[in-house]
Amino acid sequence: MEDTKSRQIMEGHITAAPESNSLAIVVLCQRKCGLSLCITFYLVAITIADFLVIMAGCVLNRIGGIYFRNSVLSTTPACTVTSVMVYATRDGSVWLTVAFTIDRFVAISWQKLKIRYCTKKTATLVIGMICSLSCVKNVPFCLVSQPLYIVDGVPWFCDINPIYYTSSFWKVYDKLDQILTPLLPFLLILLLNTLTVIHILKASRARKRLWGEGDRADPEMTNRRRSIVLLFAISISFLLLWATYVGRYLYVQLVGEGYFNGLDSSKPDIILQETTNMLQILSSCNNVFIYVVSQTKFREEMKKLLMCPFTTITNFTW
C-alpha cells in the first residue's frame, strides 16, 4: 500500500510538470526576461523538449502502461510509437542542453567567435538539426518491437524481437545509442563547464587588476553573471540527475548483468534501476524551478502572468 501511495504521489508531481513547462514557455516567448534572443531560443527549445519527454516518458509510457493497460495505448503499434517518442524526445532534450552549454561556453570564453556563433540564426539552425537528427536516429527502434500476443487479429503490447540480442547491427546500434545519450553529453557538459570555470577565474583576476581594488562595479562582469548562473544551474542539475543513470550503465557493462523487467519493487536492483529512470524524468521537470531561482526578471514576469486573471477581474469590477 505504501509503495502504491508513494508512486501515486511521485506521478502527481511529475504530471504537474507539463503545466509548469507550458507556463515557462509562455513567459520566455514574451522575451521580457532580460535574456538575449539566442539564449531565449535555446531555453524555449529545451523547455518544449522537456515537455515532450514528460508527455511521452511519463504520461503515455508509464501512466498509460500502468492504468490503461487494455486501451489503445497497449496495442503494439501504439506502444512502438510511444517507445520511439521516448527515445527521440530524450535525445532532443539532452543534446539541446549540450548545445546551450556550448553556446554559453563560446559566449564567455571566445569573444571573437561569439559575434558569429551566438546568434538567432545559428541557434535556430542548431535546434532544427538536433530535433531532426534525434527523430531520424531513433526510427530503427520501430523494427525492434513485436507483438507479445495477438487477440482477434489485434496485436497487443510490445516484446523485444530476439534478433535485437543476436544481430551484430543491433549490438553496435545499442552501444552507439548509449554513447550518444547520455555518456558523450555527460562528458561534454562536464568538460565545458570545467573550462568555463577556469576561464571565468582567469578573467576575474585580470579584470580585478584592470579595475583596481576599489568598490567600482564592473558592468561587463555584471552582465555576464546572469547567463553564467543560468548555465551552471541547468548544467549541474543535468549532471546530478543523470549521474545515477550513467553510473548504473557503467555498472551493468562492467558486471555483465542485464536490465530488469520484473515487478517486484523490493529487489535492490529494480529499485536502483527505477530510481535512475525517475531521476532521468525529473531532469525534465525542474527547469521552471531553475529559471525562478536564478532569474529575477523571470520571477517577475511569471508573477504578472499568474496574477493576470485576477488583475483583469479587479479592473473589470472597478
Side-chain angles (χ1 to χ4, degrees):
M1 180 65 71
E2 291 182 0
D3 290 341
T4 303
K5 287 183 177 179
S6 60
R7 185 177 65 188
Q8 290 174 344
I9 292 171
M10 182 191 73
E11 289 170 352
H13 285 299
I14 292 178
T15 50
E19 288 80 3
S20 60
N21 278 358
S22 301
L23 183 62
I25 293 171
V26 174
V27 173
L28 290 171
C29 286
Q30 292 178 347
R31 301 178 185 177
K32 297 179 181 180
C33 298
L35 301 171
S36 69
L37 197 58
C38 181
I39 295 177
T40 302
F41 267 52
Y42 279 115
L43 295 184
V44 170
I46 291 173
T47 307
I48 293 175
D50 289 343
F51 174 85
L52 295 176
V53 169
I54 297 166
M55 294 302 297
C58 182
V59 177
L60 294 179
N61 189 32
R62 292 283 178 165
I63 296 178
I66 294 173
Y67 297 106
F68 303 96
R69 292 185 64 83
N70 296 320
S71 69
V72 67
L73 293 175
S74 297
T75 60
T76 302
C79 69
T80 300
V81 172
T82 299
S83 298
V84 174
M85 289 176 60
V86 169
Y87 286 112
T89 55
R90 178 204 63 177
D91 289 356
S93 175
V94 169
W95 280 100
L96 285 172
T97 304
V98 174
F100 174 71
T101 305
I102 294 174
D103 178 86
R104 291 301 86 199
F105 171 73
V106 171
I108 294 170
S109 304
W110 293 26
Q111 293 298 308
K112 293 183 179 179
L113 183 60
K114 172 185 176 181
I115 300 175
R116 292 178 296 169
Y117 184 80
C118 301
T119 62
K120 171 186 173 181
K121 181 179 179 180
T122 302
T124 304
L125 180 62
V126 171
I127 292 169
M129 288 178 59
I130 289 175
C131 294
S132 300
L133 291 175
S134 297
C135 294
V136 172
K137 167 186 168 292
N138 292 287
V139 168
F141 279 114
C142 292
L143 307 175
V144 174
S145 300
Q146 65 179 12
L148 186 61
Y149 52 82
I150 299 177
V151 178
D152 296 330
V154 179
W156 288 93
F157 301 103
C158 289
D159 191 20
I160 298 178
N161 195 317
I163 197 175
Y164 183 78
Y165 301 104
T166 58
S167 171
S168 299
F169 168 80
W170 285 113
K171 289 180 180 179
V172 173
Y173 183 84
D174 181 67
K175 295 295 182 184
L176 183 62
D177 176 64
Q178 295 294 337
I179 290 173
L180 291 177
T181 307
L183 295 181
L184 182 58
F186 190 89
L187 294 176
L188 281 174
I189 291 177
L190 186 60
L191 174 63
L192 291 173
N193 277 277
T194 302
L195 294 176
T196 302
V197 169
I198 294 174
H199 177 83
I200 290 173
L201 293 176
K202 290 181 179 179
S204 297
R205 288 194 292 266
R207 293 191 70 84
K208 279 185 178 180
R209 290 194 297 268
L210 179 64
W211 283 75
E213 300 296 333
D215 296 330
R216 292 183 301 168
D218 186 345
E220 181 176 341
M221 293 304 296
T222 301
N223 292 333
R224 285 188 185 182
R225 189 174 295 113
R226 186 186 299 112
S227 61
I228 291 171
V229 170
L230 187 60
L231 167 65
F232 286 170
I234 293 177
S235 300
I236 292 173
S237 171
F238 174 87
L239 293 173
L240 290 176
L241 293 175
W242 277 86
T244 53
Y245 186 96
V246 174
R248 169 65 178 161
Y249 171 77
L250 295 176
Y251 172 78
V252 168
Q253 299 303 311
L254 292 174
V255 178
E257 296 183 358
Y259 290 92
F260 299 92
N261 295 318
L263 298 176
D264 186 359
S265 59
S266 62
K267 292 183 178 180
D269 290 326
I270 295 180
I271 292 174
L272 176 59
Q273 178 177 292
E274 291 305 305
T275 299
T276 61
N277 293 332
M278 181 191 69
L279 292 177
Q280 175 191 339
I281 295 177
L282 284 176
S283 67
S284 300
C285 302
N286 63 345
N287 278 342
V288 175
F289 174 76
I290 292 174
Y291 302 155
V292 168
V293 170
S294 61
Q295 301 294 306
T296 303
K297 290 188 177 181
F298 184 90
R299 291 197 298 270
E300 295 174 354
E301 293 301 319
M302 180 172 284
K303 288 179 182 178
K304 291 180 182 178
L305 187 62
L306 292 174
M307 294 301 296
C308 182
F310 303 101
T311 305
T312 303
I313 293 173
T314 303
N315 294 335
F316 179 78
T317 304
W318 287 95

